[in-house]
Amino acid sequence: MTEPLFVIPLWADLLAVGLGGVQGALFASGFVGRQRLDLLGVTLIGIVMGMGGGLIRDLLLNVTPTTLQSNWYLLTAVGASLVGMLLAGVFRRLNAVIVALDAVVIGLFGAFGTAKALALGLPFVPAVFVGVCSAVGGGILRDVILGLPVAIMHVGSLYAVAAGVGCVVLAGSAALGAPIAVAAIACVVVTTVIRLLAVIFDISLPEQRALHRRKVAIETSAIPIIRPSDG
Amino acid sequence: MTEPLFVIPLWADLLAVGLGGVQGALFASGFVGRQRLDLLGVTLIGIVMGMGGGLIRDLLLNVTPTTLQSNWYLLTAVGASLVGMLLAGVFRRLNAVIVALDAVVIGLFGAFGTAKALALGLPFVPAVFVGVCSAVGGGILRDVILGLPVAIMHVGSLYAVAAGVGCVVLAGSAALGAPIAVAAIACVVVTTVIRLLAVIFDISLPEQRALHRRKVAIETSAIPIIRPSDG
Amino acid sequence: MTEPLFVIPLWADLLAVGLGGVQGALFASGFVGRQRLDLLGVTLIGIVMGMGGGLIRDLLLNVTPTTLQSNWYLLTAVGASLVGMLLAGVFRRLNAVIVALDAVVIGLFGAFGTAKALALGLPFVPAVFVGVCSAVGGGILRDVILGLPVAIMHVGSLYAVAAGVGCVVLAGSAALGAPIAVAAIACVVVTTVIRLLAVIFDISLPEQRALHRRKVAIETSAIPIIRPSDG
């Protein structure tokens, strides 16, 4: 079998890292009162959100982390964190923009994860798994480090499912012979659209059995647009 | 030194993954009220419990994760999670069966972890360490993701110790020239017996100094057979 | 490029593991009342603090963990944990000694992490990142496993910053042609001095915006010298 020479373009990779870093810093800046983070804390969360997905992907694939092969990834993540922190006030008024960006970031990390896994010869199901872990892994790390309930365990709006469907589309298209770049774009589009539709129409997964009242509260904690001060 | 060609049979590996997945889903289904998990959450915990031990083992050994080389691992873990979720009501009445299954799962993961570490040339002590991490790693990941106190840090009933003794038996037998399959079976038997005896007779490790009142509460949280609804 | 044949001397590596293990056990022994840990729990935290930094470093570098290539690392970590536990009463009166040891440990792990990353060909920025992760990774793992707020996210006394500056000094000196051993010693000294000055003069990073009242409470939880019993 010929090694499929799939290389994620550096600009695309850095775009995902940068958007993730901005997201992370916005999230971390949302803590007020006693839980307030200092400058370093906000930057660390930006790094975790910008680079966590790629690190988890490369750990699962047992390859040397791409994000540590060049100075640019960390510099981008730190720079994006500072931008996110400074512009937190502005961004917060652009709620729709933040949600849309977040959806695109999930799509990008899912696409890169699945594509890299397929390029390394993983079968369909684990390739999709690696993609989903790349997409949601940064958020899980963020929540664990901040001591928050892990959002995707409770969130109602099809967060991980959006990533999963996008990764399945990528892996399926690739299996049917589509060029990987086209399949990756399809993945990002599908993930973004599902996620946005889920947010707009407030769709959630079926409960195990009973009604789930906590959804709204947790959903807002996933992207803390408005978080009343407790201090 | 000839590389000991130890290969865990796929059926045995999938058996451990499946039993782990059922365990995880039973555990996750036990959350009621505000903490209730949705369908995806229960499945994720099933995947974590079924595949977490193997992933941690392969990360520590710096080899490509076996569980991602075939579609079967994830399909088994997901299928087992669904079975565990659907049959949660039935299983819960079979308390003894659950505890016994859990003990066998710890034994299997400990045996596979230690055997693989020895096969890769690790010395005695780290091989046992990798085995114990395989055995208890899935549970640690589960507790961290669910935001629970990590069970093995507080549990009284010799959970990690049972795994450790089993792994020592395996590594010791192998050092004395026993066939690895025999040593692995001994490991599973020893781990299971110690764990079950500890549960039956409520044996615990010595405290640092004082009495430890929290044991019973935490022990039940490790396997939430009965968990009164709070909603 | 010739591979720089940098090998951390075993005695230095074991020194860091041992000091980390003592630190971890002292920390874990500090829990009283309902949160009291048993013998195994204290030892596990000692292992996490003694070996966690090295494991995280080797995972990020995608090399086989050094700490699992020899029996000595685990034996040292376990032995150090027992020493730390037994002498907890004595050590606690030597507050200054504990803080100083902790500062040296951060410096050692930071130096080993950065030096190994540079030896493997990583660029400047990611090499420093790996060093900082080695220095603070054990503490993050400890806090996550114990269900505590992650100290470096909230701590005021320049904990991670001290490690970062030390790692920058190492990487910078190496880039300017200094022998790696000299650069490593400079790293340890710089990290230790910054950390101690920060503790002595109670220096902290600038807030994002407002006053940060929680600093003292969290800082004491990072090294629980005095922790009133709640049971």
Side-chain angles (χ1 to χ4, degrees):
Chain A
M1 173 181 142
T2 319
E3 177 78 7
L5 289 168
F6 175 69
V7 178
I8 301 164
L10 184 63
W11 66 264
D13 224 1
L14 291 180
L15 178 70
V17 169
L19 293 177
V22 171
Q23 274 286 120
L26 282 173
F27 183 92
S29 305
F31 287 90
V32 290
R34 294 194 312 147
Q35 295 246 305
R36 197 164 186 76
L37 301 173
D38 64 11
L39 205 62
L40 177 69
V42 174
T43 310
L44 283 179
I45 296 300
I47 292 174
V48 163
M49 285 298 281
M51 294 178 50
L55 281 175
I56 289 173
R57 174 197 65 202
D58 292 340
L59 283 176
L60 289 175
L61 296 173
N62 196 37
V63 296
T64 311
T66 310
T67 46
L68 301 179
Q69 300 312 302
S70 141
N71 289 325
W72 288 110
Y73 289 90
L74 273 155
L75 294 177
T76 302
V78 171
S81 303
L82 296 178
V83 169
M85 192 161 33
L86 292 173
L87 300 184
V90 178
F91 272 89
R92 238 158 262 202
R93 273 172 233 123
L94 305 169
N95 196 340
V97 175
I98 294 179
V99 174
L101 272 186
D102 185 47
V104 173
V105 171
I106 306 169
L108 286 171
F109 278 118
F112 296 166
T114 309
K116 189 161 184 177
L118 289 173
L120 289 165
L122 264 66
F124 190 95
V125 178
V128 169
F129 178 74
V130 169
V132 175
C133 288
S134 306
V136 304
I140 294 178
L141 276 183
R142 176 200 66 196
D143 292 339
V144 167
I145 289 177
L146 288 173
L148 300 174
V150 173
I152 65 153
M153 295 306 298
H154 301 278
V155 146
S157 295
L158 295 176
Y159 202 84
V161 171
V165 174
C167 296
V168 165
V169 166
L170 192 162
S173 314
L176 296 172
I180 197 77
V182 173
I185 291 168
C187 169
V188 176
V189 171
V190 167
T191 300
T192 306
V193 169
I194 293 180
R195 171 69 183 148
L196 290 183
L197 288 178
V199 170
I200 293 168
F201 295 107
D202 198 18
I203 305 163
S204 67
L205 277 186
E207 277 306 305
Q208 292 177 75
R209 264 167 300 186
L211 276 169
H212 190 57
R213 303 253 173 92
R214 203 188 187 191
K215 195 188 47 168
V216 177
I218 299 281
E219 179 60 21
T220 55
S221 90
I223 304 163
I225 311 306
I226 302 154
R227 191 185 279 269
S229 164
D230 63 335
Chain B
M1 172 181 146
T2 318
E3 177 77 8
L5 288 167
F6 174 71
V7 177
I8 301 162
L10 184 62
W11 66 264
D13 223 2
L14 291 180
L15 179 69
V17 169
L19 293 177
V22 170
Q23 274 286 120
L26 282 172
F27 184 92
S29 304
F31 287 90
V32 290
R34 293 194 314 147
Q35 295 244 304
R36 196 166 187 73
L37 300 174
D38 64 10
L39 204 62
L40 177 70
V42 174
T43 310
L44 284 178
I45 296 301
I47 292 175
V48 163
M49 286 297 281
M51 296 178 47
L55 281 176
I56 288 173
R57 175 196 66 203
D58 292 339
L59 283 177
L60 289 175
L61 296 173
N62 196 36
V63 297
T64 310
T66 310
T67 46
L68 300 180
Q69 301 310 302
S70 139
N71 289 324
W72 287 109
Y73 289 90
L74 272 155
L75 295 176
T76 302
V78 171
S81 303
L82 296 178
V83 169
M85 190 160 36
L86 293 172
L87 300 184
V90 178
F91 273 88
R92 240 159 259 204
R93 273 171 234 124
L94 305 169
N95 196 340
V97 175
I98 294 178
V99 174
L101 272 185
D102 186 47
V104 173
V105 171
I106 305 169
L108 286 170
F109 278 117
F112 296 166
T114 310
K116 188 161 185 176
L118 290 173
L120 288 166
L122 264 66
F124 190 94
V125 179
V128 169
F129 177 74
V130 170
V132 175
C133 288
S134 305
V136 305
I140 293 179
L141 276 184
R142 176 200 66 196
D143 291 339
V144 166
I145 288 179
L146 288 172
L148 300 173
V150 174
I152 65 155
M153 295 307 299
H154 301 277
V155 147
S157 295
L158 295 177
Y159 201 85
V161 172
V165 175
C167 296
V168 166
V169 167
L170 192 161
S173 314
L176 297 172
I180 196 77
V182 173
I185 291 169
C187 168
V188 176
V189 171
V190 167
T191 300
T192 306
V193 169
I194 293 180
R195 170 71 183 147
L196 290 182
L197 288 178
V199 170
I200 293 168
F201 295 107
D202 197 19
I203 305 162
S204 66
L205 277 185
E207 276 306 305
Q208 293 177 73
R209 264 166 299 186
L211 276 169
H212 190 57
R213 303 251 173 96
R214 203 188 186 192
K215 194 189 49 168
V216 177
I218 299 282
E219 179 61 21
T220 54
S221 91
I223 304 165
I225 311 304
I226 301 154
R227 189 184 279 270
S229 164
D230 62 335
Chain C
M1 174 180 142
T2 318
E3 177 78 8
L5 287 168
F6 174 69
V7 177
I8 302 162
L10 185 63
W11 66 264
D13 223 2
L14 291 180
L15 179 70
V17 169
L19 293 177
V22 170
Q23 273 286 119
L26 282 172
F27 183 92
S29 305
F31 287 90
V32 290
R34 293 194 313 147
Q35 296 245 305
R36 198 165 183 74
L37 300 174
D38 64 11
L39 205 61
L40 177 69
V42 174
T43 310
L44 283 179
I45 296 301
I47 292 174
V48 163
M49 285 298 281
M51 295 178 47
L55 280 175
I56 289 174
R57 174 197 65 201
D58 292 340
L59 283 176
L60 289 175
L61 295 173
N62 196 36
V63 297
T64 311
T66 310
T67 46
L68 300 179
Q69 300 311 300
S70 141
N71 289 325
W72 287 110
Y73 289 89
L74 272 155
L75 294 177
T76 302
V78 170
S81 303
L82 296 178
V83 169
M85 190 159 37
L86 292 172
L87 300 184
V90 178
F91 273 89
R92 240 159 261 202
R93 272 171 235 125
L94 305 169
N95 197 339
V97 176
I98 294 179
V99 173
L101 273 186
D102 185 47
V104 173
V105 171
I106 305 170
L108 286 171
F109 278 118
F112 296 167
T114 309
K116 188 161 184 176
L118 289 173
L120 288 165
L122 264 65
F124 191 95
V125 179
V128 169
F129 177 74
V130 170
V132 174
C133 288
S134 306
V136 303
I140 293 179
L141 276 183
R142 176 200 67 195
D143 292 338
V144 166
I145 288 177
L146 288 172
L148 300 173
V150 173
I152 64 153
M153 295 306 300
H154 301 277
V155 147
S157 296
L158 295 177
Y159 202 86
V161 171
V165 174
C167 295
V168 165
V169 166
L170 193 161
S173 315
L176 296 172
I180 196 77
V182 174
I185 290 167
C187 168
V188 176
V189 171
V190 167
T191 300
T192 306
V193 169
I194 293 180
R195 170 72 182 146
L196 291 183
L197 288 177
V199 170
I200 293 167
F201 295 107
D202 197 20
I203 304 163
S204 66
L205 276 186
E207 277 306 305
Q208 293 177 73
R209 263 167 300 184
L211 275 169
H212 189 58
R213 303 251 174 94
R214 204 187 186 192
K215 195 188 49 169
V216 177
I218 299 281
E219 180 60 21
T220 55
S221 90
I223 303 163
I225 310 308
I226 301 153
R227 190 184 279 269
S229 162
D230 62 335

